[in-house]
Amino acid sequence: LPLCAMDGDHLQGRWLRNCDPAAIRRPERYAYGSPLPRTNGSWDYRLCSRMGYAQRARTREALAWSWVPDQCALRQVDGAEFGAWLAGRRLLFWGDSLSGQAFYSLLFSLGAEVERVADLPPEPAALDAFLDGRTGGPLCSYGGVGDEGGALTAAALRSGGTLVKVLGHAPMVDELRRPLSAPWAWWEPLLRRADIVVANVGHHYRALDGRYARYGAMVRAALARFDARMPPHAHLVFRTSNIGHLGCERAAAPLPSRAAAWSALGGWEWSAPPFQPEYFGQARAGV
């Protein structure tokens, strides 16, 4: 099969169980080709297999499934090939923990292509110092994923490209909705120098608008802000957030269809519940 052009040709397909989960002895090596460094902080759920036996079993089960398009083949991640494609450009991930997870998944998938990585103070000058080579260390000794890396993390690739992660939660929604004439948020100057921006809003939006009644207006405000701050040549990927369904934390296999997903939510007339779900059995503030 030809490689997918990723213009929608990859969306028609099926989930295929490609191996016995019990055969995946070392989930991190199976997923990324090498073991991952020890993490700092208390947020090891970024690496679910380290959260205990039950989460390790769910991780192995999830890794045993692959999406297989009907008419094309998905390209394997190759660090050197990706670096050559990005070349000297800058890819910026902006958003909450979902964007953070995408950033770290790509980072670890690129492996030896990553020359330096560092968690930085949330200010553009810190990124400039990193790009000048004054900060950062090798990926094999980086442990910041356990604390989500803080608000700003950057990685320099051997081919000259740069990956940047801007992380925030509910307060970033308020920053998006401010008038364009208002003072800039600390992260907005970074958009001026981005070539590709992958953004998501919504994972913590429930704390501000439990019924998602104003979500559409917020998305339009976000698009206007990105359009005003990004250079004309830049590309924006705006991801809406999967808010999950009741019991999804116990799921052990992908849902086979959109109809099955809606059924898991409770039917086509589903609307978001007006409460914040518990977090590891405790109430969460939503930020």
Side-chain angles (χ1 to χ4, degrees), residues 97-120:
S97 302
L98 298 182
S99 283
Q101 290 165 8
F103 171 85
Y104 284 118
S105 291
L106 177 59
L107 191 71
F108 292 129
S109 295
L110 296 179
E113 175 62 19
V114 179
E115 184 175 53
R116 290 179 296 116
V117 60
D119 298 326
L120 306 169

Side-chain angles (χ1 to χ4, degrees), residues 150-168:
L152 179 62
T153 303
L157 305 187
R158 299 189 185 281
S159 302
T162 309
L163 307 180
V164 178
K165 182 214 70 190
V166 173
L167 179 76

